[in-house]
Amino acid sequence: MTTVRVRFAPSPTGYLHVGGARTALFNWLYARHSDGKFLLRVEDTDKARSTDEHTQVILDGLTWLGLDWDEALVFQGAQITRHQEMADRLLREGKAYLDEGAIRLRVPPGEIAWEDAVHGRISFQGEDIKDFVILRSDRSPLYNFAVVVDDIDMRITHVLRGDDHISNTPKQIAVYRALGAPLPVFGHVPMINGPDGKKLSKRHGATAVGDYQHLGVLPAAMRNFLALLGWSPGGDREILTRDEMIQLFTLEGILKKASVFDTTKLEWMNGQYLSTTPPEELYDLVAGPLAQLGADGDRAHILRAIAAVKTRSRTTLDVARQVAVRLDAKFVELDEKAQQEIAKDPAGYKASLVASVAALQGAEWTTEALEKTLRALAETRGVAAGKIFQPIRIALTGGTVSEPVNELLYVVGKAAALKRLEIAAAAVRV
Ligand code: GLU
């Protein structure tokens, strides 16, 4: 059996688009599933628009997503002599002809069809495809020619790429035929749309992989999310490890219809990954944004805070913001809901805080003891525990949702927490 050899062939004329990343991921998954090779070819023949920075951004994006490639990186621009040789060969063999100095491929009449791994049989007529230029008069190759010469040289067995390339495929098949080379399997992966059903674009929000990295998405979550854009592992499981995806990935599992890039789902998925990632692993990702916010704290304190908030966060930036609130009172800002709650009964809010301060002063600062102390206080005052917990939560965080209040108190620390409660109580005018 021949070894599966697939490739991702980005043009370094822009950043790594999520659609490109998804194509790369499918190729990578297929290679790893089949014990094959995943190759990378930088299609930098458009010298005017290709830059080294873009190449670097694309490589960084793939690396961030954990998509490691095999063999040496191929630069299409370095293969130009080879493209020219092949065009000259077709010219000599009469399969191509000169036209104003350019070399044009003769497209014979008759059917050009292939069994697409995603869509089934797709067929064009040679008559409908005009003879096309493969080498310009300045001897630079065109995409539909260079891509085939390179795929043959790299012994590519499966070409998996976006649906937008379907119209190129008959031209490329004509090149394979002219060169007398066997066809690879073609599989065209459906497009990614925005929630409005239109092709995903910047109008829908961030479309660069790097943007999601900077917004605080974890690479494993992004990879999992991208995998489900146009692929179904079967069943309704959505959270899959790298190895599970590799094991389950098949070309048959690629869906025929366009998928929807839903950022709410991405955030949900990222939240799932955040909740299962140990605080130590999140530390470095949170430390940067924390420093940017101007928050200070020792490692142990930051780790405690990460552990407390990560299950209620959607991104690592979100984690950092919540950690900052727990490290330093200057980040506490009363949100609208909190203000409304205080406004309902300012006197009750104040009285509850004052009583809590009194009760907490002598408390042992462990989550168990704090819980007991506050429940006992609620009982003494004859109120529901929430009446004690919620004012503390608001005073310590400025919001109405957080980890359990005993954990929150523990994370903020005794001296800092008592101070915040006292100041909050004093600030209420009744
Ligand atoms: N450079 C082409 C692109 O980025 C490659 C297409 C292909 O995979 O053949 O669209």
Side-chain angles (χ1 to χ4, degrees), residues 128-415:
D128 297 334
I129 296 162
K130 289 197 206 82
D131 294 354
F132 59 95
V133 172
I134 55 176
L135 206 71
R136 296 185 188 88
S137 53
D138 67 1
R139 310 245 330 131
S140 62
L142 276 104
Y143 160 71
N144 276 319
F145 184 64
V147 75
V148 174
V149 172
D150 293 344
D151 282 342
I152 294 171
D153 285 346
M154 292 164 76
R155 292 176 286 122
I156 298 303
T157 57
H158 295 69
V159 171
L160 308 175
R161 60 186 172 199
D163 257 1
D164 50 335
H165 282 288
I166 287 184
S167 61
N168 286 321
T169 303
K171 292 184 177 180
Q172 295 178 15
I173 291 178
V175 175
Y176 278 98
R177 286 181 180 170
L179 290 170
L183 294 186
V185 172
F186 290 100
H188 291 90
V189 181
M191 294 283 96
I192 300 173
N193 291 335
D196 59 357
K198 301 216 171 81
K199 191 176 165 189
L200 186 69
S201 77
K202 282 189 187 154
R203 284 181 301 112
H204 296 109
T207 53
V209 168
D211 291 342
Y212 288 97
Q213 178 179 0
H214 294 120
L215 287 170
V217 171
L218 299 173
M222 190 78 198
R223 189 171 59 207
N224 192 156
F225 174 75
L226 289 174
L228 298 181
L229 290 179
W231 171 63
S232 165
D236 42 15
R237 279 194 60 198
E238 299 209 281
I239 306 289
L240 298 130
T241 65
R242 174 187 178 280
D243 290 347
E244 285 168 333
M245 289 195 281
I246 290 174
Q247 198 203 334
L248 294 171
F249 191 84
T250 59
L251 300 184
E252 292 73 35
I254 298 177
L255 307 171
K256 288 186 176 55
K257 63 172 187 6
S259 51
V260 175
F261 194 94
D262 177 355
T263 42
T264 313
K265 180 165 177 188
L266 172 58
E267 284 186 4
W268 168 80
M269 189 165 279
N270 201 46
Q272 299 291 306
Y273 274 85
L274 283 172
S275 54
T276 53
T277 306
E280 291 74 20
E281 274 179 45
L282 296 174
Y283 184 84
D284 286 346
L285 296 170
V286 172
L290 261 187
Q292 248 165 12
L293 287 170
D296 240 351
D298 60 49
R299 188 183 169 94
H301 195 182
I302 292 173
L303 286 174
R304 273 201 299 278
I306 293 176
V309 305
K310 72 191 180 74
T311 51
R312 266 168 222 83
S313 305
R314 308 232 136 202
T315 64
T316 50
L317 291 188
D318 205 8
V319 172
R321 279 191 291 266
Q322 297 191 61
V323 168
V325 167
R326 282 147 186 79
L327 294 180
D328 192 329
K330 76 178 178 201
F331 296 103
V332 178
E333 249 176 71
L334 284 179
D335 70 19
E336 212 171 303
K337 277 194 187 153
Q339 287 176 18
Q340 283 165 1
E341 266 195 56
I342 297 172
K344 269 192 243 161
D345 179 13
Y349 174 77
K350 186 179 182 123
S352 173
L353 286 180
V354 170
S356 294
V357 170
L360 290 169
Q361 239 137 18
E364 193 197 335
W365 219 255
T366 63
T367 50
E368 296 79 13
L370 287 166
E371 161 110 37
K372 266 192 210 139
T373 306
L374 294 176
R375 289 202 182 274
L377 175 64
E379 217 160 290
T380 321
R381 291 176 64 84
V383 295
K387 288 274 180 211
I388 301 293
F389 292 150
Q390 195 65 345
I392 296 177
R393 174 175 285 123
I394 291 174
L396 293 186
T397 66
T400 53
V401 247
S402 79
E403 64 272 39
V405 162
N406 60 326
E407 284 172 34
L408 173 63
L409 283 162
Y410 173 73
V411 166
V412 173
K414 185 166 190 171

